Amino acid sequence: MTRRITVRVNGVVETADVDPRRSLLAFLREDLDLTGAKEGCNEGECGACVVLVDGKPINSCLMLAVEADGREITTIEGLARDGALHPLQRAFLRHQALQCGFCTPGMILTAAGLLAENPDPTEDEVRRALSGNLCRCTGYRQILDAVLEAAAEMRGAVGKEVVR
Ligand code: FES
Ligand code: FES
């Protein structure tokens, strides 16, 4: 037995019949071929699967696709605008804040959710926001620097204050 859902994913309305037990992560990756959200632990521990649901970072492995019915989803594939990378994506590149890249979509979308709520976070606030996102490669320093620099750029503060 399936249930019909309609979601807007990266600005595109998608209607599908899904198994009520199907996770949002599986729906995005397997049904919509949006493989940017990664399956790490599949139990809410690693943050690799984070997407924005109505602007809030959510572990999509823990959310059922049917719970997303009527909601707005943003995946990493939808963050760039008109062919231009998002400031967070550019800052991650500048700071080499990724190695294997497995954690990167979740890191960036978690940070995007933070900056939407708090455009001028302290380093501690960034650390707390990213505390559910695990990275096995970078040691986190470059990630923190990238998020703080992107925040400054998004506030228009680059060049007006010291950017870490
Ligand atoms: S795969 Fe969802 S939190 Fe790890
Ligand atoms: S860059 Fe490899 S897990 Fe973060």
Side-chain angles (χ1 to χ4, degrees), residues 1-153:
M1 174 135 136
T2 58
R3 263 185 54 192
R4 176 152 298 190
I5 62 169
T6 300
V7 291
R8 183 184 290 267
V9 182
N10 300 332
V12 177
V13 175
E14 305 276 1
T15 299
D17 296 315
V18 295
D19 185 316
R21 295 164 300 182
R22 194 157 182 72
S23 71
L24 176 60
L25 178 62
F27 173 67
L28 291 170
R29 287 180 57 85
E30 295 165 19
D31 296 354
L32 301 187
D33 285 333
L34 293 170
T35 55
K38 300 291 184 255
E39 183 181 327
C41 63
N42 217 18
E43 54 185 25
E45 298 290 341
C46 73
C49 64
V50 167
V51 299
L52 298 178
V53 178
D54 294 336
K56 306 267 187 237
I58 298 286
N59 287 331
S60 61
C61 69
L62 294 184
M63 184 173 195
L64 295 171
V66 292
E67 294 178 296
D69 188 25
R71 304 177 80 173
E72 176 99 31
I73 315 291
T74 303
T75 70
I76 195 69
E77 290 91 343
L79 207 57
R81 283 280 173 271
D82 302 323
L85 291 178
H86 187 278
L88 278 163
Q89 293 172 306
R90 292 201 306 272
F92 268 62
L93 287 173
R94 276 197 302 276
H95 285 272
Q96 300 181 351
L98 61 149
Q99 289 179 32
C100 78
F102 194 83
C103 69
T104 311
M107 288 282 182
I108 288 180
L109 288 169
T110 301
L114 167 69
L115 298 186
E117 272 193 357
N118 178 2
D120 192 8
T122 63
E123 181 174 319
D124 275 355
E125 288 170 332
V126 176
R127 284 180 184 273
R128 270 199 297 279
L130 293 178
S131 61
N133 294 75
L134 304 184
C135 177
R136 297 176 64 121
C137 306
T138 66
Y140 299 100
R141 181 67 262 168
Q142 301 97 313
I143 292 172
L144 294 168
D145 289 344
V147 174
L148 290 167
E149 186 175 279
E153 181 185 338

